[in-house]
């Protein structure tokens, strides 16, 4: 059975200032995707009236998804990259680590799922 | 700590005919989202030269993501809905069950993660 790759699912607390800044978040993900040589084939950023936002980035390698609840100081984060063309496991972990740092986040839960 | 909601991550085998039909997949998801009263705020469908496809649907309630590898007869599927406005756990399970059935899939792995 083919095993596509590694998926990290996390939840972290962070300052409301970062959890409401979709523009900075987009620049962060754009830079990561570019630096790591991933292929973004479409994305959605949607902001809510309370300042929270929700993001899905569709990659040829799979996806990144993030949702913020600034009223609870909380975000969920997903990154899943397939190893179809090359081994991307280290990139999955790097994307999570750099995103946690970018949001000044404190990890509450992290699950690594090898799919 | 706020607990956003239920995420199902699954992997299933299915006939290549369903794993290469992005148009039918879109009609399936459109109908489910409509029937269940969810709010699609943007989506991406991307097809690969080999007929496989990758989908992310951004919902105000969180997201749906699916990736197919027809050469391996395999798909991964994710649905995560927050309970922000109402309890959506039964809808998460319904979306997964109906998607598995739509693709004529045979479940290989399923993980339920309460985030």
């Amino acid at each position: 059975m083919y095993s596509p790759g590694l998926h990290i699912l996390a939840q972290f607390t962070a300052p409301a200032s970062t959890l409401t800044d979709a523009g900075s978040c987009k620049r962060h993900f754009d830079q990561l995707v570019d630096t790591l040589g991933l292929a973004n084939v479409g994305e959605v950023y949607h902001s809510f009236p309370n300042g929270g936002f929700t993001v899905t980035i569709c990659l040829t390698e799979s996806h990144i998804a993030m949702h913020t609840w600034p009223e609870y100081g909380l975000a969920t984060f997903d990154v899943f990259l397939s190893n179809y063309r090359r081994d991307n496991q280290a990139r999955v972990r790097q994307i999570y680590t750099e995103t946690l740092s970018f949001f000044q986040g404190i990890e509450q839960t992290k699950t690594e799922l090898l799919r």
Side-chain angles (χ1 to χ4, degrees), chain A:
Chain A
M1 178 61 61
Y2 177 64
S3 174
L6 180 64
H7 188 147
I8 288 180
L9 304 95
Q11 200 151 311
F12 57 80
T13 53
S17 57
T18 65
L19 297 176
T20 54
D21 190 350
S24 292
C25 175
K26 176 168 163 50
R27 285 188 290 278
H28 162 72
F29 285 136
D30 284 353
Q31 185 175 30
L32 263 180
V33 164
D34 185 51
T35 301
L36 298 177
L38 304 171
N40 177 336
V41 291
E43 63 187 19
V44 181
Y45 285 79
H46 177 81
S47 291
F48 294 99
N50 72 352
F53 61 90
T54 188
V55 182
T56 55
I57 303 172
C58 194
L59 304 167
T60 61
E61 296 84 2
S62 292
H63 69 272
I64 293 170
M66 183 163 172
H67 313 293
T68 76
W69 289 267
E71 62 275 53
Y72 299 115
L74 194 75
T76 61
F77 176 75
D78 285 79
V79 52
F80 173 35
L81 300 182
S82 91
N83 300 318
Y84 194 80
R85 290 181 308 147
R86 61 178 182 182
D87 186 337
N88 279 313
Q89 290 200 38
R91 290 179 190 85
V92 169
R93 295 192 177 100
Q94 182 178 347
I95 289 170
Y96 170 56
T97 303
E98 293 199 13
T99 298
L100 188 65
S101 169
F102 177 81
F103 279 89
Q104 303 166 43
I106 298 171
E107 180 179 287
Q108 304 297 315
T109 65
K110 183 180 84 162
T111 303
E112 291 204 357
L113 193 67
L114 194 59
R115 309 181 78 171

